[in-house]
């Protein structure tokens, strides 16, 4: 200590500083374990004048918000008191080495049967912002969903001015029917399912629907204050525009990654995507409609062409009861339902806040087509079972493989235990036939091959995937979600991807980091990631009607070297098939 003292002007101050440094290090590394109980159950919910026995979590619709810090651990016991099988997916959580907690039915686990339970355990690692959780079993996520807010670690802050208040807005879809009945009828008939009857904001349709005005969601704001809106597209089958009358929105985050701030008047979110925006109370004190409405890119396809609203309410606005004062909220200018130009301009505005390390030495260069198809009516089916166009059945595929979920074991179980016959590892790295993907496609290519195929990746490999939309039956914007990973979107475009010319469009400096990419209608997107998370990870279209038809595949990421590069053992209470 004497030798140290001679080199330090004030040893006492040095020791005090050292103790403070150690104390702060302990403070920053200290994380909380949050325990929650989710009970999945039928609950009477009244919307659009009618009460339905709706599947909810803890009797709440939407379900409970999980509010945690980066670095925290969640332990959530899910008990199934409903009459359907259920699983819960924590959308966007990386699940590093904890794939057993990811949730997609028959991919990482067998479902929780009625009367059963399962405890999901996972840690938030390096993610901040807005995510969400939802059922990943049949169409239960129509009503089984909620927000998952991840705050910066204690002692750190947002990379933007701290907002005065925060509001989470979950955009949803409501059927005036049982959603499970809707999808079962479609599966039975081979036709497209009935479209929803309303969109919702935090479970409420809003003023433009019958029997809905008194419960319209109110979002408070005051003159001069800047607030944070956390917007989540929880809708089952519809991409949505989002806007606030007379107010600009500053985008600061998406899918629990910060973005370079940019200003817009309209957001477009595909199902699964989240967007964090700042809004400032800089308009005359009044009431302003917040609106969400469909972005429908598939020409000729039926859709729910309605608008859900909430109200941005200035606290200093005139009292509604005051005589002669108009209290009707200001209505926003809305984009047309097929406004692809607005959707594209919004999507192209995203950048990471700074230069990022994008994988450049690519080990796996993959090309995946995504789109719809039509199966010919099987000989043993009657006409009632083939009510798709011209007596067919709707289907969908990636690289001409229509994904079939297993039913006896989950893919991860089969992989870990070496169970044969559950899946094959021959998912094609490119489409089996090259064609004019966005042109007039030959009818001979409209019928994909069913299969349970995965694509193997070595631990640590650098992966590039070109996701190419097709015009088979109809072209459409597809929100493609990859479980267990974030990825950089390095380019998007229209038409067929051309490796000779389109690589010049690659952003390898500051591309956005997302978990769901909205692949442009009749176009393509290119993503890159490093396969650093062992397990079996589903990649699928987040329009649930499309995953029902088979628009999915899975990556099998092999273990690396040692325990820290290997998936954890399965938990003791993993549900049995």
């Amino acid at each position: 200590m004497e030798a140290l003292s001679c080199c330090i002007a004030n040893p006492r101050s040095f020791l005090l500083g050292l103790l403070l440094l150690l104390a702060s290090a302990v403070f920053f590394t200290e994380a909380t374990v949050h325990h929650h109980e989710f009970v999945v159950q039928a609950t009477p919910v009244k919307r659009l004048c009618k009460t339905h026995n709706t599947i909810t979590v803890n009797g709440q619709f939407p379900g409970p918000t999980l509010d945690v810090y980066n670095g925290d651990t969640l332990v959530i016991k899910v008990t199934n008191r409903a009459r359907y099988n259920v699983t819960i997916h924590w959308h966007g959580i990386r699940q590093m080495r904890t794939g057993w907690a990811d949730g997609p039915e028959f991919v990482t686990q067998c479902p929780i049967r009625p009367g059963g339970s399962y405890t999901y355990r996972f840690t938030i690692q390096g993610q901040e912002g807005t995510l969400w959780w939802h059922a990943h079993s049949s169409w239960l996520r129509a009503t089984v969903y909620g927000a998952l807010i991840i705050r910066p670690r204690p002692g750190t802050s947002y990379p933007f001015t701290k907002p005065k208040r925060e509001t989470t807005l979950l955009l949803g879809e409501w059927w005036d029917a049982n959603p499970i009945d809707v999808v079962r009828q479609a599966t039975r008939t081979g036709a497209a399912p009935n479209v929803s009857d309303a969109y919702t904001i935090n479970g409420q349709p809003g003023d433009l629907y019958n029997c809905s005005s008194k419960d319209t969601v109110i979002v408070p704001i005051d003159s001069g204050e800047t607030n944070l809106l956390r917007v989540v597209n929880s809708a089952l089958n519809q991409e949505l525009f989002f806007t606030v009358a007379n107010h600009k929105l500053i985008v600061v985050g998406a899918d629990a990654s910060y973005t370079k701030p940019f200003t817009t008047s309209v957001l477009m979110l595909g199902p699964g995507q989240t967007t964090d925006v700042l809004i400032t109370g800089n308009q005359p004190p009044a009431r302003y409609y917040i609106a969400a409405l469909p972005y429908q890119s598939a020409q000729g396809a039926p859709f729910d062409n309605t608008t859900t609203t909430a109200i941005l309410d200035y606290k200093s606005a005139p009292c509604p009861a005051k005589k002669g004062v108009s209290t009707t909220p200001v209505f926003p200018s809305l984009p047309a339902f097929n406004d692809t130009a607005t959707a594209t301009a919004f999507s192209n505005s995203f950048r990471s806040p700074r230069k990022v390390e994008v994988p450049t030495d690519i080990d796996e260069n993959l090309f995946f087509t995504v789109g719809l198809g039509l199966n010919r009516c099987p000989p043993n089916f009657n006409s009632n079972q083939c009510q798709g166009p011209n007596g067919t059945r709707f289907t969908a595929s990636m690289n001409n493989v229509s994904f079939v979920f297993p039913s006896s074991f989950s893919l991860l179980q089969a992989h870990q235990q070496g169970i044969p016959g559950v899946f094959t590892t021959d998912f094609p790295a490119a489409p089996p036939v090259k064609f004019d993907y966005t042109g007039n496609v030959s009818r001979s290519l409209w019928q994909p091959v069913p299969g349970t195929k995965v694509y193997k990746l070595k631990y640590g490999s650098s992966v590039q995937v070109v996701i190419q939309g097709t015009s088979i039956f109809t072209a459409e914007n597809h929100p493609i979600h990859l479980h267990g990973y974030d990825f950089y979107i390095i380019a998007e475009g229209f038409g067929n991807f051309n490796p000779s010319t389109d690589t010049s469009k690659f952003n390898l400096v500051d591309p956005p980091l997302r978990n769901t990419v909205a692949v442009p209608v009749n176009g393509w997107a290119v993503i890159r990631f490093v396969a650093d998370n062992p397990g079996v990870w589903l990649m699928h279209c987040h329009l649930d009607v499309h995953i029902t038809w088979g628009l999915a595949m899975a990556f099998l990421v092999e273990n690396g070297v040692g325990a820290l590069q290997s998936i954890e053992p399965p938990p003791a209470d993993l549900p049995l098939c």
Side-chain angles (χ1 to χ4, degrees):
M1 180 60 81
E2 286 177 10
L4 187 62
S5 299
C6 75
C7 302
I8 300 169
N10 189 336
R12 187 171 294 171
S13 296
F14 171 78
L15 285 172
L16 183 61
L18 188 63
L19 286 170
L20 286 170
L21 188 67
L22 289 169
S24 65
V26 169
F27 179 73
F28 286 132
T29 55
E30 193 174 299
T32 304
V33 179
H34 302 263
H35 292 264
H36 294 275
E37 296 222 1
F38 278 15
V39 178
V40 180
Q41 61 191 47
T43 305
V45 176
K46 187 175 184 179
R47 297 291 185 274
L48 308 181
C49 319
K50 195 185 292 184
T51 300
H52 291 276
N53 250 350
T54 301
I55 306 302
T56 66
V57 167
N58 297 352
Q60 300 174 43
F61 172 62
T65 294
L66 300 174
D67 201 321
V68 300
Y69 290 95
N70 181 5
D72 287 356
T73 294
L74 280 159
V75 179
I76 303 163
K77 182 180 179 183
V78 177
T79 301
N80 186 4
R81 292 197 186 138
R83 58 192 175 108
Y84 307 109
N85 294 339
V86 73
T87 64
I88 303 291
H89 170 53
W90 318 94
H91 185 111
I93 296 293
R94 283 294 316 271
Q95 298 289 2
M96 298 300 291
R97 302 177 51 241
T98 53
W100 304 104
D102 189 46
E105 184 179 66
F106 291 116
V107 177
T108 60
Q109 67 168 98
C110 295
I112 307 168
R113 307 287 181 186
S117 65
Y118 177 47
T119 300
Y120 294 88
R121 298 172 176 85
F122 55 90
T123 298
I124 315 292
Q125 298 185 45
Q127 295 182 282
E128 294 177 9
T130 306
L131 293 175
W132 62 303
W133 57 266
H134 60 80
H136 213 298
S137 190
S138 186
W139 276 21
L140 286 181
R141 83 166 180 87
T143 55
V144 177
Y145 62 87
L148 203 172
I149 309 302
I150 308 171
R151 303 187 182 281
R153 293 177 188 271
T156 64
S157 60
Y158 297 123
F160 46 83
T161 305
K162 187 179 180 184
K164 176 79 173 174
R165 61 183 106 216
E166 301 181 10
T167 304
T168 301
L169 298 174
L170 292 150
L171 313 180
E173 253 180 306
W174 179 263
W175 274 261
D176 202 11
N178 178 350
I180 303 297
D181 291 344
V182 173
V183 67
R184 284 180 176 175
Q185 180 190 19
T187 302
R188 206 164 44 243
T189 63
N194 291 337
V195 300
S196 57
D197 296 287
Y199 301 110
T200 59
I201 297 176
N202 290 352
Q204 296 295 339
D207 290 355
L208 306 183
Y209 298 92
N210 291 337
C211 308
S212 301
S213 291
K214 71 180 177 63
D215 295 311
T216 296
V217 170
I218 305 295
V219 178
I221 196 168
D222 212 353
S223 295
E225 70 185 25
T226 295
N227 297 341
L228 180 67
L229 302 181
R230 301 176 181 272
V231 186
V232 182
N233 186 346
S234 323
L236 202 71
N237 289 321
Q238 190 63 58
E239 291 168 313
L240 294 167
F241 289 119
F242 175 93
T243 189
V244 183
N246 294 10
H247 288 74
K248 295 289 188 184
L249 305 170
I250 300 175
V251 176
V252 293
D255 292 0
S257 289
Y258 295 118
T259 64
K260 191 171 286 182
F262 67 92
T263 302
T264 182
S265 56
V266 180
L267 314 181
M268 197 290 284
L269 297 91
Q273 293 185 316
T274 73
T275 307
D276 293 347
V277 298
L278 296 175
I279 184 169
T280 299
N282 56 10
Q283 296 300 304
R287 307 171 90 221
Y288 297 85
Y289 271 127
I290 298 167
L293 63 156
Y295 166 49
Q296 178 67 8
S297 58
Q299 288 188 7
F303 68 103
D304 175 3
N305 194 10
T306 61
T307 301
T308 179
T309 56
I311 296 171
L312 184 72
D313 189 18
Y314 278 71
K315 291 197 296 181
S316 51
C319 177
K322 203 170 178 181
K323 267 194 172 180
V325 174
S326 171
T327 59
T328 303
V330 179
F331 204 80
S333 172
L334 302 177
F337 70 84
N338 58 354
D339 190 348
T340 292
T342 292
T344 304
F346 177 71
S347 180
N348 288 344
S349 299
F350 282 89
R351 297 284 185 276
S352 283
R354 61 192 67 82
K355 189 178 189 305
V356 291
E357 287 188 29
V358 183
T360 50
D361 296 325
I362 301 301
D363 302 304
E364 297 278 1
N365 202 341
L366 308 175
F367 189 102
F368 291 175
T369 56
V370 296
L372 303 185
L374 294 175
N375 280 333
R376 289 184 289 274
C377 194
N380 58 328
F381 278 35
N382 61 45
S383 58
N384 289 334
Q385 296 169 287
C386 298
Q387 293 184 34
N390 302 314
T392 59
R393 291 178 60 85
F394 272 108
T395 184
S397 67
M398 296 177 73
N399 276 358
N400 202 48
V401 178
S402 186
F403 193 77
V404 178
F405 286 85
S407 57
S408 301
F409 298 94
S410 73
L411 296 176
L412 187 54
Q413 266 182 304
H415 166 56
Q416 283 287 100
Q417 298 172 21
I419 301 167
V422 178
F423 64 86
T424 57
T425 56
D426 57 345
F427 185 87
V433 177
K434 287 186 177 180
F435 57 98
D436 180 5
Y437 307 112
T438 55
N440 190 9
V441 182
S442 164
R443 289 289 178 120
S444 64
L445 298 173
W446 284 34
Q447 181 159 309
V449 178
T452 309
K453 298 174 184 288
V454 306
Y455 191 90
K456 254 189 186 178
L457 294 173
K458 284 196 183 324
Y459 182 91
S461 57
S462 294
V463 184
Q464 174 177 292
V465 188
V466 176
I467 308 171
Q468 173 70 62
T470 76
S471 58
I472 295 174
F473 184 69
T474 186
E476 189 167 357
N477 184 304
H478 293 280
I480 302 295
H481 172 50
L482 175 58
H483 288 232
Y485 285 88
D486 288 328
F487 48 74
Y488 291 111
I489 304 173
I490 62 171
E492 296 178 5
F494 291 99
N496 299 336
F497 176 77
N498 185 333
S500 302
T501 56
D502 288 331
T503 50
S504 65
K505 301 171 185 170
F506 285 5
N507 176 4
L508 302 179
V509 178
D510 60 354
L513 189 65
R514 305 294 299 261
N515 63 54
T516 305
V517 55
V519 180
V521 55
N522 251 331
W524 49 268
V526 184
I527 66 171
R528 286 186 184 180
F529 63 95
V530 175
D532 60 358
N533 192 11
V536 178
W537 305 105
L538 191 65
M539 186 180 196
H540 64 95
C541 183
H542 220 281
L543 303 174
D544 273 32
V545 58
H546 291 176
I547 191 174
T548 302
W549 289 338
L551 210 166
M553 59 81 64
F555 286 111
L556 192 165
V557 180
E558 297 175 322
N559 286 335
V561 178
L564 294 180
Q565 294 184 2
S566 302
I567 190 165
E568 293 179 358
D573 65 337
L574 189 72
L576 300 173
C577 284

